[in-house]
Amino acid sequence: MRQDWRPEDAARWLAEAVETGHPLAPLSPELAPGSVGEGERVALAVLEELGLAACGLRLAPGPGEGGAARSLAGPVIEGRLLPDNAAIALPALRHGAVSAAVVAVLGRDLPGGTEDKEPPAFAALHPAIDIAASRFREPPETPALVAADLGGLGFLVVGRAFASPPVAPIPVTLGPAGERRRRGAGAVPVDLHAALRPVAAAARRLGGLPAGALLVAAGLTAPPLAPQPGLALRAGFGTLGRVRVRFEAG
């Protein structure tokens, strides 16, 4: 880490953008994080600046070095969780990207550390729609900037918990609500427990989480969809559940 670099300096600008909703100009080289680790420290400092506590961890696709995609971790904030069929005003989003997701509620503490001695225990699994967004005026192009930008956290629309947690891959779809499609058309088979394993590993690396905290695996469907005025989307999880979101002009 650079000797004269402090995460709090960049965090103040990002925190102001979170509070006001105003777009943030690119950070100067002196302020910008130079690595994903530095970006994660900025994100934590943003929450501290705002007086907020994370209620979980989200892992979502982001830009990688040399154009290759990589998954980036970021905090989950309670105020960004919305109920099924929520309406989201487009002015609240910048560079929005929508994908299906799964939200897991930890049934017991997930200790920190790098060793994966036993899999995490889940009290519940929920279908969800992840709406990624940015505080920056222009889309952040480096993994470090996305990590600093709360990992691209926008909103999470969360449905009712699955009555019976899946033990095998299930078909996951995302598309316009009300659109008629053949059974299984466009579905992506997803092992939800496998999708959550790297989220749990990231949470351990960052110090662990208590029982009741959330693990979020976003990007279950690709490519992400762009929100449009009047668009209603439905994420289907086979026979286990579904969740909807609507986008409004504002």
Side-chain angles (χ1 to χ4, degrees):
M1 189 181 72
R2 293 165 287 173
Q3 293 295 324
D4 57 347
W5 180 85
R6 300 192 320 146
E8 295 82 5
D9 295 333
R12 279 193 286 271
W13 292 99
L14 276 158
E16 181 180 343
V18 172
E19 278 192 313
T20 65
H22 296 158
L24 180 63
L27 296 175
S28 67
E30 293 76 19
L31 292 178
S35 67
V36 170
E38 288 185 353
E40 290 171 344
R41 292 182 62 198
V42 171
L44 293 177
V46 170
L47 297 191
E48 186 171 343
E49 183 78 17
L50 294 170
L52 298 174
C55 63
L57 188 81
R58 168 181 171 271
L59 200 66
E65 303 296 346
R70 65 174 292 176
S71 294
L72 296 171
V76 178
I77 304 170
E78 188 174 354
R80 297 283 171 152
L81 301 175
L82 301 176
D84 186 15
N85 206 32
I88 298 176
L90 285 178
L93 297 175
R94 191 171 294 108
H95 315 306
V98 187
S99 66
V102 61
V103 175
V105 182
L106 287 173
R108 62 169 178 254
D109 292 351
L110 185 68
T114 57
E115 292 189 22
D116 186 5
K117 294 183 178 179
E118 57 183 26
F122 300 135
L125 294 178
H126 295 256
I129 294 177
D130 180 84
I131 302 99
S134 176
R135 269 45 64 179
F136 287 100
R137 184 175 61 208
E138 303 296 334
E141 296 182 350
T142 68
L145 283 175
V146 175
D149 192 14
L150 304 182
L153 176 68
F155 294 96
L156 278 162
V157 179
V158 184
R160 295 176 59 182
F162 297 131
S164 55
V167 295
I170 62 172
V172 178
T173 60
L174 178 67
E179 180 181 76
R180 301 188 66 177
R181 62 173 69 192
R182 291 181 292 106
R183 182 182 296 273
V188 179
V190 177
D191 183 332
L192 298 183
H193 289 276
L196 287 163
R197 276 198 288 270
V199 193
R204 288 190 177 95
R205 175 178 61 83
L206 293 170
L209 288 169
L214 307 180
L215 297 182
V216 179
L220 300 185
T221 51
L225 303 180
Q228 302 290 337
L231 177 65
L233 292 175
R234 176 188 185 275
F237 291 73
T239 60
L240 295 178
R242 56 93 182 132
V243 60
R244 293 187 176 96
V245 65
R246 295 175 288 120
F247 297 100
E248 299 178 345

